[in-house]
Amino acid sequence: MIGNHPSGNAPINTNVKFVIVYEKFTKPAAVSLSNQLSNKFECTIWDKRHYLANEAGLNNKNRIILLNEDLINENLANPSLHSDQIVPGMDYKREGNMIGVVYNEVKSPKKLSDILKENWGKYAAAIIGSSVLGIPGAAITAWLLTSQKKKIKFKLYMDAVDVLAKSKLQDILNG
């Protein structure tokens, strides 16, 4: 069944509804993916709590895209499922009408060792400076590394949902 898009411009395929499930960290990526898909499909985003409360009411017309690592580990745990790359550092797993988008640190274009090589001076200065001030340098360095790693992971999620929406999703749905 094809309906009209709320803007009146393009038809929406109402036979397929995408439910994008996010965690706090991935909510911006979920919103971006929803916005990109909403031109062609009926789409909604849910957090884990909302998904679990409504899971029993979902059917085969619903396509579930998980951007929530806990739910991916629970729902796509079959060891025979293999991951395919969306972009370097981001993979997807698929089973039935469910797709899980997962961060793959091993395949990430920027690894922790690369971050250390590129920014060793900043981290050395943090350790030396903090020891002069009497603050544990390891704590500050760990915070800086974690912050940098989160930025990389966030960008990879955003890149992955862009590629997913623009090209990969149709291929995935078609098998």
Side-chain angles (χ1 to χ4, degrees), residues 73-102:
N73 291 334
E74 290 172 22
N75 291 294
L76 296 171
N78 184 341
S80 67
L81 293 177
H82 70 279
S83 296
D84 291 311
Q85 182 174 283
I86 300 173
V87 296
M90 295 301 295
D91 294 344
Y92 73 90
K93 290 181 177 184
R94 177 179 184 232
E95 186 170 41
N97 64 337
M98 187 174 288
I99 300 167
V101 178
V102 293

Side-chain angles (χ1 to χ4, degrees), residues 14-19 55-64 94-98 173:
T14 56
N15 287 329
V16 176
K17 179 178 183 177
F18 283 93
V19 178
E55 184 177 19
L58 297 173
N59 60 43
N60 287 337
K61 289 183 180 180
N62 302 118
R63 301 287 191 249
I64 313 301
R94 177 179 184 232
E95 186 170 41
N97 64 337
M98 187 174 288
L173 292 175

Side-chain angles (χ1 to χ4, degrees), residues 25 103 105 108-120 122-123 140-156:
F25 180 76
Y103 173 64
E105 188 172 4
S108 177
K110 280 202 147 188
K111 296 176 180 53
L112 191 57
S113 60
D114 297 334
I115 296 168
L116 284 171
K117 286 177 195 171
E118 291 172 4
N119 299 301
W120 69 268
K122 178 170 62 171
Y123 301 120
I140 291 175
T141 303
W143 177 79
L144 289 171
L145 286 171
T146 302
S147 175
Q148 186 69 22
K149 192 173 173 183
K150 280 186 177 180
K151 287 178 187 174
I152 291 167
K153 189 175 177 181
F154 180 80
K155 178 162 181 357
L156 288 174

Side-chain angles (χ1 to χ4, degrees), residues 5 12 18-20 30-43 65 161 164-166 169 173:
H5 188 274
I12 293 181
F18 283 93
V19 178
I20 303 165
V31 170
S32 176
L33 182 58
S34 175
N35 288 340
Q36 292 181 63
L37 294 178
S38 67
N39 292 328
K40 296 179 184 173
F41 301 100
E42 193 176 335
C43 207
I65 301 176
V161 298
L164 195 62
K166 290 179 179 139
L169 192 60
L173 292 175

